[in-house]
Amino acid sequence: MSQRQNSSPLTHQVTLTVLTLAAFALAILVGFGFYAAFQADHASLERQKMFIADGLKDQIAAVEREQESVSIWDDSVTNAKTGNQEWMAENLSVWMYTYYGHNQVYILDAADHPVHAMREGKVVDTSAFGEDASALLPTIGKLRAMLARPPKADASGQPARMVAEDLISLGGKPAILSVMPLVPNSSRVTQAPGTEYLHVSVEFINDAVVGRIAGKYLLDGARLAPLSQTVGAAAVPLVDSHGVILGYIGWDQERPGLDLLHKMGPALGVALLVAGGVLAFLLRRLRRASFALQSSQDQAQYLAFHDTLTGLPNRALFEDRLRRMLLFAGYDAARVALLYLDLDRFKHVNDTLGHPAGDELVRQTAARLRHTIREVDTVARIGGDEFAIILLDVRDVRSAEDIAERLLQKLCEPFRLIDDQIFVGASIGIALSAGPETDADDLLRKADIALYEAKKNGRGRYQVFAGDMDDLLLRKRKVEAELRKALTGAGGIKLAYQPVYAGEGRRILGAEALIRWGHEVHGALPAAQFIAIAEERGLIGELGKWALTEACRFAAATELPWIAVNISPMQLRDVNFAEEVASILQETGLDPARLQLETTESVLLEHNDAIGSVIAALRKSGIRMVLDDFGTGYSSLSYLRRQAIDKLKIDRSFVRLLDEDPSASAIVKALIDLARALDVEVTAEGVETEEQRVLLLAMGCNQLQGYLFSPPLEPGQFLSLPGLSAGPQELTNARA
Ligand code: C2E
Ligand code: MG
Ligand code: MG
């Protein structure tokens, strides 16, 4: 299993989410900080502007107040009207410059002609008024209008103040202009309306004035900015009564928000670093946790779809892949081949070398299979020693067969297991997809049937599924189902008994029990056929037990010297078989010495210790073992020599040839001699003619069985044979 370090999607996702959230939080924090600072700065600027505007108003009011201190005065009225230049300079003009900083003062008569002029603390010629007249006259006119039509007293009864003021531009410099009439402060001096002299005062708004205004509010860097100069946000325009901008008062803007940020900057930086560190730490732990989670998730996923022993895909993953492959293959001409593979001698390895060796064999098999097929093909472990292989892009049956051939060759090579060289071999069933409609289950079933056929036809080979295998299987299934029914007591199964005679043909030595199944639909099925089905379908144990019990019960009720019962090799593989037989003998009351068990040679060839000990146990209890159909298989002399059996039955195929083929009689003679040499009994099966009988007798075989004497008989018929008797009740309920 390949573990992907650090790059699991889950880990990525977790990291990304946390980082995004952190970045988002940081952006909000920083954004909000700047926004708050900006808002604070903005509010502060508005306040600063208000301060400057108020300061300017105060400055104008101050000019008026200062002017008032001299314009409402009896002496001013009289001295102005008498044209006392010295007095006017001392009290109305130079004095204003010295004490209050007014830059220009003009005293005008009732007809607005200048009678006195002062500039920058010096009395100058009255003609100077002419230079400034255009800027001054509109405000002067306003005051004259007020004087001509005095405004009403205000709510508190105070008479309205007679003053006209404005911001003006003199020689390009902004200035505060204030105009007031000279009026007496007592009744000692009287003045007819319309004859008032005017006091015109001008104060330039210069840097000093601006500094005074700003200084009151502790604003730094205050300056006068002329129109031509660009000003920042921190500026208040100087606007005259007509809305004309004359210049600006600018200052260094106070930014409390930004200042705060500046001051907090380093602390924030440190805090961010710490937070970053904590985040990194948490992230690392989170990544580790999510990586662990991902790994265990991957592990679980892997385990769910793979076989732990071999690492191959398991059945679930295999079936899923097969379905997909079939779907894809449906769209092009190429076909999918399914190979079902089963080891031939796996059980043997497991039984003799133990499970660890069996596991090792499976592992090595998996490796060989994987190395033999292409990368695109799939090999999966389906069961104990069963493997399935999906081959893609198979052109025809031949190419699938080639691969099967190669696989078989590979598995024929010896395996090294626990210092032992083991030859195993395998069988393969092949099924090919047919067009887009191929169903995965159907293909699996066909490959399985083909595998079964391959095994039946001798193992170590492959078999391609053929259409008629299906029919055969269906028939077998049907027989199996009916056999099960019959075994549950529905009836139909019986035993027939065929006597075995002594050579002269009159004396009954014993009998062989042969199973019969008279089926209502299929008619009588040959015993060999349904026995084979029972073996295939796992019914043989039950069927065999029934036959054994039945035969023993029958024999126990007769004076028959012995009864022979056929035993399937499969029954002998059951380690409990000897005990089972013993309990049947006990139950039926038959003496073990009266029981013979017939089995074929194949089972003896397995060299299986378990079978060997079962046979030994059976023989030890007094039961005799008979080798049936002797001569048809690979006769194992060593087995005979080890005296594991008590009797040979020469197969009827040899007996039949006795009349026709002289070489056959030589073989039969040899077989009989062999039996005698080994000191085992010998029976000839299928004796049908008198000639055979005579020949066999002459050769020394004196146990004969066959149609010449009697076919297998129903129990009742059998018991009526001359020379036999039985207890009455057993005969009838032999098959209860
Ligand atoms: P087998 O044990 O070799 O049985 C002898 C077969 O030869 C029987 O066939 C019998 O009817 C037949 N036979 C007897 N005399 C003659 C003759 O003169 N000429 C010819 N042509 N045939 C003769 P059957 O009953 O059809 O049994 C076939 C095989 O089925 C048996 O061969 C035996 O292997 C198996 N079988 C029968 N009953 C049982 C049983 O209860 N259990 C097991 N496991 N196998 C059984
Ligand atoms: Mg037999
Ligand atoms: Mg036989």
Side-chain angles (χ1 to χ4, degrees), residues 345-365:
R345 282 161 52 77
F346 176 68
K347 193 174 155 28
H348 177 71
V349 170
N350 246 346
D351 287 349
T352 53
L353 300 178
H355 285 284
D359 285 354
E360 182 55 29
L361 174 61
V362 167
R363 259 195 298 268
Q364 288 186 24
T365 304

Side-chain angles (χ1 to χ4, degrees), residues 512 566 598 628-630 649-652 685:
E512 178 177 7
N566 291 285
E598 293 188 8
D628 207 350
D629 305 342
F630 187 67
K649 286 184 86 171
I650 295 169
D651 193 68
R652 69 165 182 270
E685 293 185 273

Side-chain angles (χ1 to χ4, degrees), residues 53-67:
D54 282 353
L56 185 63
K57 267 189 218 149
D58 285 352
Q59 191 59 36
I60 296 170
V63 170
E64 284 173 10
R65 250 190 340 270
E66 289 152 12
Q67 196 177 26

